[in-house]
Amino acid sequence: AQKVTQAQTEISVVEKEDVTLDCVYETRDTTYYLFWYKQPPSGELVFLIRRNSFDEQNEISGRYSWNFQKSTSSFNFTITASQVVDSAVYFCALSSGGSNYKLTFGKGTLLTVNP
Amino acid sequence: GAGVSQSPRYKVTKRGQDVALRCDPISGHVSLYWYRQALGQGPEFLTYFNYEAQQDKSGLPNDRFSAERPEGSISTLTIQRTEQRDSAMYRCASSLSTPSSYNSPLHFGNGTRLTVT
C-alpha cells in the first residue's frame, strides 16, 4: 500500500522567511513518482514538480527547491524568502510506475505567509 | 481553452437526485482523470480514460457512480441517487499523453463543489 504523510498541518511564517514543508512517503515499488501541488485560496490545484525514483538530484526553480532523499523516504519542499502569494495548501503526492495516474495525496499543509 | 474546465463550479442538490458533472480537458490531451477531494483532505482517484476508453474505474465508490467520455474529449461524471456522503469537491485532470510518458504530469481543473442536502 502507498502512503504519504505530511505531518505539518499548518505553518505560519512572516514574509521573507524560509520555510520547509515535509513529506514522507511509503511504497513497496522500486519505480515511483513524487509530486508537489499547490492549492491557493481560489481552489485550483497547480502542478509544481514531478520527480521519479531514479533521480535523486535536488531541484531548484526560482525560490522553490526540492530535496529528495530515498534513504529517509522524504521529498521536502523549501520556499526561500517567502511571499504572501505563497499562502496556499501544499500537497505532496506519490504514484507507482505501473499505474502512475493514481496519485496518492497527503492531507496537505496549509502555509500562511503574513506580511 | 487554457486549462481544464469544469462545470458547474458549485452544485447543491437534494438527497436522492441525480447529478452530472462536466469536464472539458485541455485541448489535445489524451488522458483524463476524475478525483474526489473531501474537505481537509487530498484528492482521491476515481477513474481514468485514455481517449474514450475507460481504462480504470477502480476508485469509483459504488455503482451509483459512473463516468463516460464518448468522443475522447469532454467527460461526464454522473452520480445517481445522491447521498449526503457524496458531498465533496470533484476534480477532473488531464494529461498530454499516456501516464507512462515522463512528460505527462496531471493538470487539474478548479473542480465542482457538490453539496447534497
Side-chain angles (χ1 to χ4, degrees):
Chain A
Q2 299 182 139
K3 186 178 179 181
V4 174
T5 301
Q6 294 181 256
Q8 304 149 311
T9 305
E10 295 186 36
I11 299 176
S12 182
V13 300
V14 177
E15 208 170 16
K16 298 185 182 177
E17 285 185 13
D18 298 347
V19 58
T20 295
L21 310 181
D22 297 334
C23 173
V24 174
Y25 62 92
E26 296 176 30
T27 180
R28 293 177 184 166
D29 294 307
T30 55
T31 302
Y32 52 88
Y33 295 88
L34 295 163
F35 305 78
W36 277 95
Y37 280 85
K38 174 183 180 180
Q39 183 177 322
S42 51
E44 68 265 36
L45 204 55
V46 179
F47 168 78
L48 296 178
I49 190 172
R50 178 175 72 177
R51 303 307 301 273
N52 73 54
S53 51
F54 299 110
D55 183 1
E56 285 192 74
Q57 279 194 334
N58 291 329
E59 183 156 339
I60 297 175
S61 177
R63 296 184 297 106
Y64 295 171
S65 62
W66 290 270
N67 182 2
F68 177 26
Q69 292 197 338
K70 283 177 90 168
S71 60
T72 56
S73 297
S74 64
F75 186 44
N76 296 339
F77 173 31
T78 298
I79 302 174
T80 303
S82 60
Q83 301 176 0
V84 172
V85 293
D86 296 327
S87 297
V89 179
Y90 290 87
F91 290 98
C92 179
L94 164 73
S95 69
S96 68
S99 53
N100 58 1
Y101 49 86
K102 284 185 181 180
L103 273 64
T104 298
F105 282 82
K107 292 188 176 183
T109 297
L110 172 61
L111 173 65
T112 302
V113 181
N114 298 300
Chain B
V4 177
S5 177
Q6 292 186 245
S7 61
R9 187 73 191 271
Y10 302 94
K11 177 70 177 178
V12 180
T13 191
K14 292 187 176 180
R15 187 179 55 178
Q17 297 294 307
D18 298 350
V19 295
L21 312 180
R22 173 188 166 117
C23 172
D24 196 347
I26 295 172
S27 179
H29 277 200
V30 163
S31 298
L32 184 145
Y33 318 80
W34 283 98
Y35 278 73
R36 178 169 71 172
Q37 184 176 6
L39 204 59
Q41 304 291 320
E44 292 182 333
F45 171 79
L46 294 177
T47 187
Y48 153 58
F49 289 84
N50 182 26
Y51 293 103
E52 71 281 0
Q54 190 172 23
Q55 302 281 20
D56 186 340
K57 56 180 181 179
S58 62
L60 296 177
N62 51 60
D63 59 9
R64 295 186 297 106
F65 288 73
S66 63
E68 62 174 9
R69 193 187 184 197
E71 297 179 0
S73 179
I74 293 169
S75 176
T76 303
L77 176 69
T78 301
I79 308 173
Q80 295 180 311
R81 305 180 302 283
T82 52
E83 301 177 4
Q84 286 188 325
R85 59 177 173 158
D86 299 333
S87 296
M89 174 77 82
Y90 289 83
R91 292 192 185 271
C92 176
S94 68
S95 62
L96 183 59
S97 57
T98 57
S100 59
S101 169
Y102 184 79
N103 292 317
S104 288
L106 273 62
H107 295 276
F108 285 85
N110 286 353
T112 294
R113 170 73 65 187
L114 174 66
T115 302
V116 182
T117 61

